[in-house]
Amino acid sequence: MQPGVAVPSSAIGGKNGRNAAYNLPSAIGVDDGLTLRAYRGTKAAGYSWTGSVICSRPTSNNFGSGTVHTAGFTFKDARVEVRAKMPDLTGGQWPSIWFLPAWDDDGAEIDLFEGGFLSKTANPNQLMAVKLFSSGNQQQFLDCRTDLSADYHTYSMEYRQGSSIKIFFDGSNVYTYTRGVPVGPYFIILKNGIASVHTAGWHTQVSDSTPAINLMQVSYVRVLAL
């Protein structure tokens, strides 16, 4: 958070880092679905875009005008489904669907979807990057063979504690992790941001053709017990 920027506000990473967007609640809209916007311009130092992020983490944070408590929502041994239409992914856009452990271990992060990554074998608009951040696991680039910015698709993850994490695209199991699977509850994060020049080489970059407003549109988020 930065003084002088609308409160509450937040940033996924530090200023002048890999993320070029500073997030504001005003970039989030709810109207027949959830819309996360990323658009040019911000009042936050060290950032050049405004982005949006929403999560279900239980919190007790001081936002400058009193303490805000949220009960939040966590899950374990469950299937999480997100039906979404991604922004164009060829101009620095960085939408994501991910999960962090409620026990504050960033080394156990789960990425169900990250967009805009570069691969030698797939167009960025067809690419789905997934990762389990635990020992012995690597990020995987999955070619969905369809333009993810052209229509809604269903991104799903089945988390069985200590056993497996299965990744699904439109109902098909496209990857499974079985090594180093954590035990404990997770919360959900949806983000629409923009990559900075510090990601050049592995992520698409902003150019003159990047739209001034980029939308990640979410039809629903559903959690089903396994």
Side-chain angles (χ1 to χ4, degrees):
M1 297 172 61
Q2 291 190 7
V5 182
V7 177
S9 63
S10 65
I12 291 294
K15 62 182 182 180
N16 300 313
R18 294 178 175 179
N19 293 273
Y22 190 89
N23 306 298
L24 293 179
S26 57
I28 300 172
V30 180
D31 184 8
D32 193 25
L34 174 70
T35 298
L36 302 178
R37 293 187 296 150
Y39 56 89
R40 290 182 185 272
T42 180
K43 294 182 179 179
Y47 303 87
S48 51
W49 291 72
T50 295
S52 47
V53 62
I54 187 169
C55 79
S56 69
R57 181 183 181 179
T59 63
S60 177
N61 294 325
N62 188 334
F63 288 114
S65 57
T67 301
V68 178
H69 299 272
T70 62
F73 176 83
T74 62
F75 67 89
K76 53 187 177 181
D77 296 317
R79 179 184 176 103
V80 181
E81 297 181 349
V82 179
R83 186 158 180 82
K85 180 181 179 182
M86 299 300 168
D88 179 85
L89 301 171
T90 61
Q93 299 88 348
W94 196 350
S96 57
I97 304 167
W98 47 305
F99 314 96
L100 283 178
W103 65 93
D104 290 330
D105 179 4
D106 289 345
E109 176 183 329
I110 303 170
D111 292 341
L112 169 57
F113 176 89
E114 284 198 276
F117 280 66
L118 296 174
S119 167
K120 296 180 180 179
T121 58
N123 183 297
N125 269 331
Q126 298 182 180
L127 195 66
M128 173 178 174
V130 305
K131 187 174 182 180
L132 168 60
F133 286 71
S134 62
S135 179
N137 292 307
Q138 296 182 341
Q139 186 176 53
Q140 302 295 321
F141 291 162
L142 308 176
D143 187 348
C144 297
R145 302 186 184 281
T146 187
D147 186 345
L148 305 178
S149 68
D151 204 350
Y152 285 83
H153 295 278
T154 303
Y155 306 86
S156 308
M157 186 270 295
E158 287 187 358
Y159 167 50
R160 298 180 187 271
Q161 298 181 85
S163 176
S164 66
I165 292 174
K166 295 183 177 181
I167 305 296
F168 297 81
F169 176 73
D170 282 344
S172 296
N173 183 194
V174 291
Y175 199 79
T176 299
Y177 289 102
T178 57
R179 178 182 297 178
V181 176
V183 174
Y186 276 79
F187 60 91
I188 304 167
I189 310 172
L190 305 178
K191 181 198 71 133
N192 191 18
I194 300 291
S196 77
V197 295
H198 298 292
T199 66
W202 53 270
H203 198 284
T204 62
Q205 295 292 292
V206 171
S207 69
D208 291 340
S209 62
T210 302
I213 301 175
N214 303 268
L215 304 180
M216 175 182 175
Q217 297 171 287
V218 181
S219 176
Y220 63 78
V221 178
R222 181 162 54 192
V223 180
L224 308 170
L226 294 175

